[in-house]
Each structure stands twice: as structure tokens, then as C-alpha cells.
Amino acid sequence: MLARPSRLRQRLLTASAMVSLLASAFGASAPPVVAANPVTTGSPGLFSTGTGPAKPRVVNPAATSKLPVGFVDVTALTGLTQPTKLRVAADGRVFVAEKSGLILEFQSLSDPNPPTVWADLSSEVDDYWDRGLMGLALSPNFVADHTLYVQYAWDHNPVAALAGDPYPNAPAAWNDQCPSPPGPTTDGCTIEGVISRVTGVPSGNRPLGPAQEHVLLTGWCQQFPSHSNDDLWVGSDGDLYATAGDGASFTNFDYGQFGGTTTPLVTPANPCADPTPGDIGTAQSLPTAEGGSMRAQSSLRTDGPTVLNGALIRINPNTGLGVPGNPYYATSTDPDKQRILAFGLRNPFRITFQPGKNVVWIGDVGDATWEEIDQLPLPAADGTNNFGWPCDEGPGAHPGWPTNLNQCTSLVNAVAPYYTYNHSAAVSSGDGCLTGSSSISGMTFYTGSAYPANYQGALFFTDHSRDCIWAMLPQANGDPNPTKIVPIDVGSVAPPS
């Protein structure tokens, strides 16, 4: 495995070059308007651990699984532990990523035998709350080149890697935990994310591991254990498409003001150094704050580098660099900005591609009120690729978010979601799914022939918290019709513990 440079340390080493930009960023400003204190958004993460506030699943204890006439619900694979992604190779083999960092191989979807551990990256993965191995994609020539791609939360604390060791109590790794101090929702346990290429075939009982891993990209500084690294695809153009959340607090409105409160000091204030390397250790304040959830708007920064949080990126699968045709590839010298296709996303947990159209569909897990399905036609262009988070949520301005953040008051051309559903409302009238907590967690277009004809081209999507699956049926132009949503599977699964 290649050495993994800490992106935060690289940024801090350039601090002297940023002094003039930093000085110009702070001037006379209006008095800050602070959100209610404290603000609890009630939107923890997707994965429950039994030790922390996972986003709860809303379960109807009287319900039994209900399917449309002619449909059956069949268990294909068993014995899995928190599976996060499934990919099928051209030869029929099935590869399943588990949150802990394991990649399992089945010979087919009907394989009754225990899987082979194809790769074990658990020594590198931070498996804690919503952090873990979340993205898996196979090379288009996987059967011949034995190459797959992964995206995961990296168990590496960039604060501990700073030159001069200014925070000696910061551990180098968290070992799948977040002790107190610093506390998972107090000061947070800071990590980064990774996209890697893994090549080879397991030998005997020895799976592939970090020795066969080629790191393509590190970054995505994350203070809190949700809104982490998310999905990963190989597009029809051969490039890698990846999403990640903002890495911010999910229990309070976070604009970079958290950290630095514990004794001993483990996680400093503003540990991700937003917006400039010299800002680490200094809590962000209104109206100039650009940390926390505001990292999702970093492509608009004029006083510091762009970061990859809250964004959809497209990169070269061999180099990890941005590719020609990306909105900022030709206009920016910032390598991370060159990688970005779209931004302004909270937790874009899953994406999918629309067959026959050059369009990416994004399922963005919402805060306290709305879930979103966003549409991004390609090629993406500046001015039509900002989905507005955290200034906007769902169909309008985010309620309760501080009202005079500079980057929000100046926000223009935010793209409205293609479809939203309110946490307190049914997705489809009478669907039988309870309302309340919500988290859109999967989506795909159906192109097979086994389902009735009206499902051909439909967008199927699921909500982990509601334990339900729906289909958004196509309209005349082939795009999903938000007015024609039908329930497919109304679950009755008990919440995880």
C-alpha cells in the first residue's frame, strides 16, 4: 500500500502562503444571528450500534411485510454482518462489502456456501457508528484484471499527524471507538476518508489486504461520526463517481464552532482547519463561518481551498485526479475543486445512473424535516450543480439555520430537489409505512423483464428508517414521475440494536 499523506497536514504546511487570503477574509460585519441554543436536529445516522444515537427506524409492531400481487420477497444471501454494498461481476460472482472492512465473495446469488473473504481492509477502516466501508465498485474488466475500488472512513486522526505535535493527547487512530473525552457528539473524533484500488486474487486462505491496496485519494476531514464517505460507482465512461457527507454534527447546527472543550484536550476547536490551515484551534463564528456543515459549500470559497465534503466527485480511476469535463477542471487550479461535479449535499448516501440517459440521481439523507432525491444531468455545469445544503433543505430555506451566514445570504442558483418527502408525511398515501424518522438509503432503476410492464424504467428507492421500498413510475419522457409513487415492500423488521 502506498503511503497515505494526511490532507490536513498538507494544508497546514501551506499556511504561510495563505496569510494574505486569511487577512482579507475578516472585516467589519453585521452582528451574528445565532440559532436556538442548543439545537437538536434529531437526525443521527443510519447505523445503530447500541452505544449511541443512531437514526431510529420507525416500526409498526402490528405490520406484516406487504407486497404487490405477484411479488415475492426472497432472502438471497445470509450470514452477513452489516452489509453495505453488493456488486455482481460479469461471470455471476457476487461481492459484498461489510461495514467493518471485509469484502466477501459468493459464487452466485444462490450460493449456499459460506463466502470467501476476498479482501480484509479492517485494519484501515474506522468502523464506528455511520463510519465504515461504504463504497464498492468493480472494474468493468474485473474478471480479467481482478480490480475493484473501495471508499471508506479511514481510521486515521489528521490532528495527531500535524507537524510539531501541537495536540499530544490526540491519538493516531481511534480503533473503531470514540471515547470520552473527546466524545462522539461533544468534540468528535476526527478522521479522513479514502478511495483506493485493490488488485489481485486471494491466495489460499489469505485474503487481499492493505498490501494490495493502491490509495487514489484521501481527504474528507470528518469531525463527527456520521455523514461520512458514502457511495462509489464506475460510470459508463470508466471514471469513478463518489459521494460523501459533510462530516458535521448531526445533533446541533454546526458551522465549525465545536471542539476544544475537554480536559485533557484531545480534539481542538475547528479540527478540520476551515476555511484555511491557520484556523485550526479557533472556533468559527458567524457570519464568516465556513466549517462544519458549511464545508458542503466550500466550492464557493474565496479564502481557502475547496474540500470534498458534501459533494459528488468524478475522478480518474488510475490517478485519482479530476477529469476533463468536470465543471471546474479548466477554470480552477485547486485539485479538489477540479474533482467536483456537484456540491451542497448533506449525506448523499446512495446514487444511481439512469439507463439510456446521462443523468446521476442522488439520494440525500435529510436533517429534521425532508428527504431528497436530486437529479444531476451530465455534463454538470457551474451554476446548476449546487443543491444548497445547509442553507437549503428540501423545497426551501433550512428552518432554524443561522440567518446571516455570508455564504447563505449570498447563495444564488441553488438547484431544487427533483422530489422531496416530509418526515411527518406518507411517501404514498395509504402506503402503510409509519412516518417520523426517515433516511433515504437506496435507489436503482429497473430495466429487467420479470416485473410487470408498468415498472419498466421505474426508480425504486428505499428508506432505512421506515423499512419500506417504493417505485416511482416513469412518465412519458422516461423520467420518474413524482406523482406516481407506489409502495413495493412495507416491512415489519424490528429496529437494529
Side-chain angles (χ1 to χ4, degrees):
M1 181 184 68
L2 297 183
R4 304 162 184 249
S6 166
R7 297 293 292 278
L8 182 55
R9 182 173 183 176
Q10 289 177 331
R11 290 171 59 194
L12 284 163
L13 291 175
T14 64
S16 60
M18 303 297 295
V19 169
S20 61
L21 290 175
L22 178 64
S24 66
F26 298 93
S29 57
V33 177
V34 183
N37 184 33
V39 176
T40 300
T41 67
S43 297
L46 293 174
F47 289 90
S48 176
T49 63
T51 60
K55 199 165 191 175
R57 299 176 81 173
V58 181
V59 177
N60 184 348
T64 57
S65 184
K66 294 183 292 185
L67 298 166
V69 174
F71 282 75
V72 294
D73 194 344
V74 178
T75 299
L77 303 171
T78 61
L80 301 172
T81 302
Q82 290 192 312
T84 54
K85 198 71 180 180
L86 181 149
R87 297 292 189 185
V88 181
D91 59 5
R93 285 180 293 165
V94 178
F95 292 84
V96 179
E98 291 189 339
K99 184 170 171 286
S100 65
L102 298 183
I103 299 172
L104 307 180
E105 177 199 19
F106 294 86
Q107 295 307 305
S108 70
L109 277 172
S110 58
D111 184 358
N113 301 306
T116 298
V117 180
W118 184 269
D120 183 355
L121 302 175
S122 59
S123 63
E124 304 297 326
V125 172
D126 184 24
D127 177 16
Y128 182 74
W129 288 13
D130 280 11
R131 295 172 173 175
L133 171 57
M134 295 294 168
L136 173 67
L138 303 183
S139 160
N141 300 313
F142 176 80
V143 175
D145 65 22
H146 310 298
T147 294
L148 53 81
Y149 303 91
V150 293
Q151 179 174 210
Y152 59 82
W154 177 25
D155 191 7
H156 160 82
N157 183 1
V159 174
L162 297 176
D165 195 22
Y167 303 101
N169 294 309
W174 300 103
N175 298 313
D176 302 335
Q177 301 178 49
C178 186
S180 295
T185 59
T186 305
D187 285 359
C189 293
T190 309
I191 64 161
E192 293 180 297
V194 163
I195 293 177
S196 295
R197 182 174 68 242
V198 180
T199 301
V201 176
S203 175
N205 293 323
R206 299 183 61 186
L208 304 178
Q212 290 77 41
E213 182 185 10
H214 178 93
V215 175
L216 294 171
L217 181 60
T218 63
W220 302 278
C221 183
Q222 305 159 44
Q223 184 175 359
F224 295 100
S226 189
H227 310 175
S228 186
N229 295 79
D230 290 325
D231 213 355
L232 182 67
W233 286 69
V234 177
S236 60
D237 52 12
D239 293 327
L240 290 179
Y241 292 72
T243 57
D246 59 20
S249 173
F250 50 87
T251 58
N252 292 279
F253 292 133
D254 176 7
Y255 45 82
Q257 74 272 38
F258 295 116
T261 68
T262 65
T263 302
L265 178 61
V266 179
T267 298
N270 190 22
C272 290
D274 293 303
T276 68
D279 289 321
I280 191 169
T282 301
Q284 291 280 282
S285 59
L286 300 171
T288 56
E290 297 181 29
S293 293
M294 294 304 298
R295 285 196 288 272
Q297 293 292 325
S298 71
S299 290
L300 301 180
R301 287 178 179 174
T302 60
D303 55 353
T306 296
V307 296
L308 302 175
N309 303 68
L312 165 65
I313 66 172
R314 181 175 67 152
I315 60 174
N316 184 300
N318 297 311
T319 66
L321 297 174
V323 296
N326 284 358
Y328 311 106
Y329 182 82
T331 59
S332 176
T333 59
D334 183 327
D336 276 345
K337 191 167 184 176
Q338 290 178 336
R339 294 178 171 106
I340 286 179
L341 277 179
F343 61 99
L345 299 162
R346 179 179 184 263
N347 190 17
F349 191 68
R350 289 294 178 253
I351 64 172
T352 194
F353 291 82
Q354 186 172 5
K357 293 192 175 185
N358 201 20
V359 178
V360 183
W361 295 79
I362 306 166
D364 194 13
V365 179
D367 193 8
T369 310
W370 297 97
E371 301 297 296
E372 294 186 10
I373 293 178
D374 299 316
Q375 179 193 45
L376 182 72
L378 299 176
D382 181 36
T384 61
N385 62 339
N386 181 359
F387 291 97
W389 173 261
C391 310
D392 293 347
E393 185 200 18
H398 189 304
W401 189 255
T403 59
N404 75 330
L405 270 163
N406 290 349
Q407 285 192 336
C408 289
T409 57
S410 62
L411 181 65
V412 295
N413 298 325
V415 180
Y418 186 87
Y419 171 70
T420 63
Y421 60 94
N422 191 292
H423 292 188
S424 63
V427 170
S428 176
S429 178
D431 60 17
C433 304
L434 294 186
T435 58
S437 181
S438 303
S439 48
I440 188 167
S441 50
M443 54 199 313
T444 189
F445 284 90
Y446 181 71
T447 58
S449 58
Y451 291 179
N454 59 310
Y455 293 105
Q456 182 69 29
L459 175 64
F460 283 68
F461 64 100
T462 183
D463 189 300
H464 166 85
S465 297
R466 299 192 189 199
D467 197 29
C468 283
I469 301 173
W470 303 267
M472 190 182 298
L473 303 179
Q475 50 193 323
N477 67 358
D479 287 344
N481 188 342
T483 68
K484 293 185 177 181
I485 299 176
V486 296
I488 297 298
D489 194 345
V490 179
S492 58
V493 179
S497 59

